Amino acid sequence: MAAKQAVRTTRKRRAREEMLRVAAELFRTRGFDRSTMEDVARELGLLKGSLYYYFDSKQEILDEILIVPRQHLLKRLERTVASRGSAREKLRQAISAFITAFDIEYPAMSVAVYERFDRGGEQGEQVRALRRRVQEIFEQIVQDGVDE
């Protein structure tokens, strides 16, 4: 019984990830405002109602697209800052982490960087806080290099 539940959970997670990937690509190419849930469903070969099993709204999809890749990048950057090595080496690693994030999380990172979302609310603040923290880490590494 537990094995069947694990398989269902894995399938649902993969389906959700595919939906996010397709939505991110649509948001990247058409823009968030010009993309609809119907567009996302059509690209996936689903009925629009099927998306609502996984997401409450297009905004929820966007929130995940904007937040999750930044959280992954932030974890990589925090490991870099905590590591041993010179500021020069940390800067190289941080830049590499940023480039790798685009490679791994594309097209979501593209949406996160190029689309401008000045939203209020909890999700908007979370996006801004993640953006600030990434910037602070880069500034800290550069300042450490100046101080060395």
Side-chain angles (χ1 to χ4, degrees):
M1 190 61 89
K4 284 184 181 181
Q5 180 63 30
V7 169
R8 266 186 256 135
T9 301
T10 299
R11 272 194 220 133
K12 186 174 180 179
R13 182 182 47 78
R14 286 184 183 152
R16 189 177 170 91
E17 288 170 357
E18 178 65 7
M19 290 172 186
L20 288 168
R21 188 194 63 72
V22 167
E25 181 61 29
L26 284 171
F27 297 169
R28 185 189 69 77
T29 58
R30 295 183 190 169
F32 175 73
D33 291 331
R34 291 188 311 272
S35 300
T36 66
M37 290 290 271
E38 192 169 318
D39 295 332
V40 176
R42 188 178 318 108
E43 288 291 319
L44 289 161
L46 301 172
L47 297 173
K48 181 171 74 169
S50 300
L51 292 177
Y52 289 103
Y53 175 75
Y54 296 90
F55 302 99
D56 290 336
S57 65
K58 186 173 83 164
Q59 185 64 52
E60 182 183 349
I61 293 173
L62 177 65
D63 290 341
E64 283 203 38
I65 289 169
L66 294 176
I67 292 169
V68 173
R70 282 190 168 120
Q71 288 172 330
H72 294 163
L73 172 60
L74 185 56
K75 286 178 187 175
R76 289 184 202 102
L77 292 175
E78 287 174 338
R79 281 194 305 267
T80 296
V81 168
S83 69
R84 296 179 185 239
S86 68
R88 181 183 188 123
E89 178 59 23
K90 288 180 183 183
L91 182 58
R92 188 193 66 69
Q93 289 175 6
I95 291 169
S96 177
F98 198 79
I99 292 168
T100 299
F102 269 90
D103 184 42
I104 294 171
E105 306 279 357
Y106 185 84
M109 279 296 288
S110 182
V111 173
V113 170
Y114 295 114
E115 283 277 356
R116 192 73 185 144
F117 300 100
D118 294 322
R119 300 172 298 124
E122 185 179 324
Q123 286 81 12
E125 179 51 39
Q126 189 174 5
V127 169
R128 286 186 295 279
L130 288 165
R131 186 183 317 137
R132 278 191 308 270
R133 183 65 187 128
V134 167
Q135 182 176 341
E136 288 168 359
I137 287 173
F138 273 96
E139 289 172 355
Q140 177 186 345
I141 293 169
V142 169
Q143 185 60 52
D144 289 350
V146 170
D147 294 344
E148 280 183 358

